[in-house]
DNA sequence: GTGAAAGCGCTAACAA
DNA sequence: TTGTTAGCGCTTTCAC
């Protein structure tokens, strides 16, 4: 059996209450008793049971984090920051990779509620999950509009799209296409797309719904069909990389014949593909802001501050444009 | 207040036990009672409290996952697979990014024990964390030797190093250097390094202890100091990418003048940098095997099967060699 | 400065 | 087929 508080109490010759007091630094304890208890804890290698504690306190210090997939550089980096910040505040992260699937996300949200998480951070793509309406459950959405009552933290997608497309135009592109990826089923990229459509005369947006290999195939098809294309605004850096790969295969010179701009600008991308011109999202700021907002909601049980927070993005000009 | 089992019982006009039975599909219940209870659950929007359940059952279905950082493509991908598999088995992941720091990892392991996790998966780099000795706590280490009693799952690092270096030799490299990164403080890369040192006449290994920007600087310095270098075996793909970047800056032609091989071969790398020749680790297999082993330990409370599992790696030849 | 007792929400003997 | 009761390990009034 695991050693429990009662065992420590017996070993120290005091009551459970006293041990609890030592553990939580609460109330008056004599130095001597404190020492005895601490020795017993040490001696028995005792770890308090946080499940029991959570049950009593009605607070778990767990935060649920729902992302499409932590293997995507953007969400991986975001998850890292979020976890780090939460950890420094005494919160733990339950990681959920929804794959962008409605059913999965729904199952995860139910699971999180049953586990009594203190709050949920959602960066996934599905609307209409009514679990999120669970009374007084603090939720912050990242870059998505989940429901009218759920606050949103994100970066300026319209501005990002505008910066990207305007940059291509400035560089002399005359036939710019826009490529959207499989993960981007809803909200945020719509603004990037809107910016593109607002700035370009005959917008052509491709929505690629497939995975990796298919993406390369699709892009090859697109470039072969539209040889006049001289600019691509990809909705994320992975897409952009696929464009570069296809261009290499087809002997299209980048940036001379074709300019490519991506989106996200994660550290991973900047390390693996430093040539890529891209729109850099303020990932750490998004993490900080969303966690802060969630903590506010947890502590005050209501939303303070703005319903929506929009953080600035940045154009990183490199060699692909 | 949250609605609890008792509320459901009252609403359905039955005892708490009966509700519990319906919830767990245990024992005999008449269809009628079952229906009444289910209606009440629906009506009240009741979610069982898994904290209470865990306390009673002495089982949380939580698995702790300790990685250096989930933002690294290798660990990001590994975490995804691990979480997916665990989720399909009814387990939840508590994510811990240790940054490879001893103190952090120690704090995380204590936290996990206090939260009564059913097991821990460790892919971090610190030895001598005595928390891992906690009685009968199932632990599986990924690619690291934590302690003699903790089983290890990993890929064949020596073979990986050998494949990489032999490939460079086969391609005609005469002056091959090896670059090790900041995250790689211990075990697994040592075998890669050993293979390198076994195969090369005058091995020169650089251990870069700094972060991103410094790495590029260091590599530039190395290449300027050793212009005869015609082959680099980097200990991971990010390092390799930094080498390529420096080569570009210095106008060194890859692969003509310099050949570069990386390590890991994640999907992210293969998307962002498909030109890179690398050693591909069987990430999904590592995830499957380590979770399976952990589940065995949880269910049988002892280790079955081999203490160490070594999975095969694969040489992916691309354009940088 | 310390202890006794009740209870957090749930489950599982054991009875009925 | 259903209910009564005790208890998982902890914290916290309240009493001493």
């Amino acid at each position: 059996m695991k050693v429990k508080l009662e065992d420590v109490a017996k070993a120290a010759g005091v009551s459970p209450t006293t041990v609890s007091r030592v553990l939580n630094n609460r109330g008056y304890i004599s130095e001597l008793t404190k020492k005895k208890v601490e020795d017993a804890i040490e001696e028995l290698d005792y770890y308090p049971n946080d499940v029991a504690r959570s049950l009593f306190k009605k607070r778990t210090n767990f935060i649920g984090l729902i992302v499409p997939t932590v293997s995507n550089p953007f969400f991986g980096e975001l998850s890292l920051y979020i976890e780090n910040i939460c950890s420094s505040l005494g919160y733990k992260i339950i990681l959920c990779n929804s794959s962008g699937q409605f059913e999965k996300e729904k199952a995860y949200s139910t699971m999180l509620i049953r586990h009594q998480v203190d709050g949920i951070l959602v960066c996934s793509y599905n609307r209409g999950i009514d679990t999120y309406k669970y009374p007084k459950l603090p939720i912050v959405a990242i870059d998505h509009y989940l429901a009218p009552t759920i606050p949103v933290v994100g970066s300026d997608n319209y501005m990002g799209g505008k910066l990207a497309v305007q940059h291509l135009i400035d560089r002399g592109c005359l036939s710019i296409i826009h490529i959207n990826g499989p993960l981007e089923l809803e909200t945020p990229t719509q603004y990037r797309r809107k910016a593109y459509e607002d700035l370009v005369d005959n917008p052509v947006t491709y929505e690629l719904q497939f995975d990796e290999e298919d993406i390369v195939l699709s892009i090859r098809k697109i470039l072969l069909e539209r040889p006049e294309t001289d600019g691509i605004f990809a909705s994320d850096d992975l897409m952009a990389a696929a464009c570069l790969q296809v261009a290499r295969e087809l002997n299209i010179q980048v940036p001379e014949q074709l300019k490519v701009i991506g989106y996200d600008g994660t550290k991973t991308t900047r390390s693996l593909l430093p040539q890529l011109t891209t729109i850099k999202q303020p990932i750490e700021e998004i993490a900080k802001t969303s966690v802060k907002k969630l903590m506010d909601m947890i502590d005050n049980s209501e939303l303070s501050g703005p319903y929506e927070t929009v953080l600035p993005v940045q154009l990183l000009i490199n060699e692909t444009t």
Side-chain angles (χ1 to χ4, degrees), chain A residues 89-145:
Chain A
L89 297 170
Y91 286 83
K92 289 85 54 177
I93 292 294
I94 302 179
L95 176 66
C96 309
N97 296 287
S98 71
S99 308
Q101 292 173 232
F102 182 86
E103 286 306 327
K104 276 200 174 184
E105 184 167 336
K106 194 166 170 175
Y108 276 124
S109 61
T110 313
M111 177 276 276
L112 293 172
I113 289 177
R114 294 174 53 140
H115 275 284
Q116 314 296 115
V117 292
D118 294 340
I120 302 183
L121 248 19
V122 187
C123 359
S124 198
Y125 293 83
N126 295 298
R127 306 194 68 159
I129 293 188
D130 47 9
T131 326
Y132 295 144
K133 295 188 195 134
Y134 194 68
K136 295 188 304 169
L137 174 62
I139 301 182
V140 172
I142 296 179
D143 232 9
H144 291 88
Y145 303 97

Side-chain angles (χ1 to χ4, degrees), chain A residues 168 173-179 196 204 206 219 221-233 243 252-253 255-260:
Chain A
L168 291 176
C173 293
L174 298 173
S175 181
I176 301 171
I177 64 171
H178 177 44
I179 297 182
Y196 162 75
V204 184
Y206 292 92
I219 292 172
K221 199 163 148 242
I222 294 168
L223 286 184
L224 288 173
E225 274 172 6
R226 298 185 94 264
E228 72 274 24
T229 304
D230 59 1
I232 301 181
F233 169 35
C243 294
I252 300 172
Q253 297 302 311
E256 293 78 6
Q257 296 170 265
L258 176 68
K259 304 191 199 314
V260 177

Side-chain angles (χ1 to χ4, degrees), chain A residues 63-84:
Chain A
I63 300 292
L65 173 63
I66 305 182
V67 293
T69 163
V70 83
S71 79
N72 174 291
F74 176 76
F75 295 110
E77 202 168 302
L78 186 65
S79 301
L80 168 70
Y81 288 127
I82 287 175
E83 193 280 323
N84 275 177

